[in-house]
Amino acid sequence: MAAEAPHPMPRPIRARLPLFLAILLLFAVVAPVAAGEFRADDTVSVAAGETIDDDLYAGSQTVTINGTVNGDLSAAAGTVTVAGDVTGSVNVAGGTVDIGGSVGGAVRVAGGTVTIGGSVGRDVVVLGGTVTITQSAAVAGDVAAGVGTLTLAGQVGGDVLAGAGTMEITGGVEGSLDLGVEALTIGPGARIGGDVVYTSDREATIDGSAEIGGETTRRTPQRDPAAGPAFADNPLFSFLGILLGLLVLGWGMLFVRPRFLIGSGEQVRRN
């Protein structure tokens, strides 16, 4: 039986901490931009059998990775497909993003439609309209998401911290769930190792065959009903929005003016 508790929101933390953390992480992500391989064209691809022994920065309409990148991949494109191997992290802004290959580091994505079907060695941080972590996906770390619709059918080795309009879980999560949702479904075959804590106006739909190792707690949103969805008050998602917004700004420049930005990067590298 789910317990119910009020969920007060700390205003000072929400106002200041997300921006501070986002700026720190932004510098951590973009600081190495002067080193690496830079590609800009209508289509950027790393063919099967091709290996890039460096970080790759790509600005294009379409970015396709079928080969290997021994480093990080940072890309801005209408469509980004990673079917090969990236030994580092993947930082992507795109309309449609499909991560079906192997990523050794973290995946940080802002996209309209995002599909993760491969293996991720660290965390997944995603801001998107529709996000699907498919049955074939294996995420070693945590998943942090701010999305419209989130479907989790794969395996997550850590915790899931998410804000979503609707969320459905049929896969496995080794850790706990901390969610702000309009509608939550934990379906047949789902396995949660820790607690399930969710903030929502509605009771979750939990299938009788789902396994939950800890406690299930629903928190009632403490807000004006006209103020919007429950997850909007969570400082985690303020942080995600600011971080990914800053990243999108940089990636947007890479997409709109790739030759200018890439040329500047190459000049810095030569100097």
Side-chain angles (χ1 to χ4, degrees):
M1 187 68 179
E4 186 172 323
H7 190 202
M9 292 297 166
R11 298 287 176 180
I13 292 178
R14 188 172 69 236
R16 298 182 180 87
L17 184 59
L19 178 60
F20 178 69
L21 293 176
I23 291 172
L24 286 180
L25 279 184
L26 174 66
F27 282 112
V29 170
V30 302
V33 73
E37 181 165 333
F38 300 82
R39 294 188 181 185
D41 210 332
D42 289 341
T43 299
V44 171
S45 64
V46 177
E50 181 182 1
T51 298
I52 296 177
D53 290 317
D54 211 335
D55 297 335
L56 174 62
Y57 300 89
S60 177
Q61 294 292 332
T62 303
V63 174
T64 304
I65 308 297
N66 289 318
T68 300
V69 177
N70 286 324
D72 296 337
L73 168 67
S74 297
T79 301
V80 178
T81 303
V82 178
D85 299 325
V86 178
T87 61
S89 294
V90 171
N91 309 302
V92 172
T96 301
V97 179
D98 188 348
I99 310 291
S102 171
V103 178
V107 170
R108 307 177 188 96
V109 180
T113 301
V114 179
T115 303
I116 297 176
S119 63
V120 179
R122 291 169 54 194
D123 300 331
V124 170
V125 180
V126 58
L127 183 68
T130 300
V131 176
T132 303
I133 299 176
T134 70
Q135 191 172 6
S136 61
V139 179
D142 299 331
V143 172
V147 301
T149 300
L150 176 61
T151 302
L152 198 166
Q155 303 298 311
V156 176
D159 299 325
V160 175
L161 301 92
T166 60
M167 181 172 180
E168 180 179 7
I169 301 173
T170 56
V173 178
E174 294 295 328
S176 298
L177 305 182
D178 190 348
L179 313 173
V181 295
E182 292 295 291
L184 171 63
T185 300
I186 300 179
R191 183 180 56 80
I192 314 299
D195 296 331
V196 175
V197 179
Y198 66 103
T199 301
S200 180
D201 291 316
R202 309 176 189 176
E203 290 284 353
T205 300
I206 302 177
D207 188 85
S209 67
E211 299 179 13
I212 299 176
E215 298 292 326
T216 299
T217 304
R218 179 173 77 90
R219 292 173 171 168
T220 303
Q222 299 297 300
R223 58 180 173 82
D224 182 345
F231 64 83
D233 282 335
N234 193 324
L236 167 68
F237 306 115
S238 299
F239 160 62
L240 285 177
I242 293 168
L243 169 62
L244 289 172
L246 290 171
L247 292 176
V248 168
L249 177 62
W251 294 329
M253 291 178 62
L254 187 63
F255 179 69
V256 175
R257 296 293 301 276
R259 289 178 177 82
F260 170 77
L261 191 61
I262 286 174
S264 299
E266 289 179 333
Q267 183 66 38
V268 170
R269 183 175 55 176
R270 283 196 297 268
N271 293 339

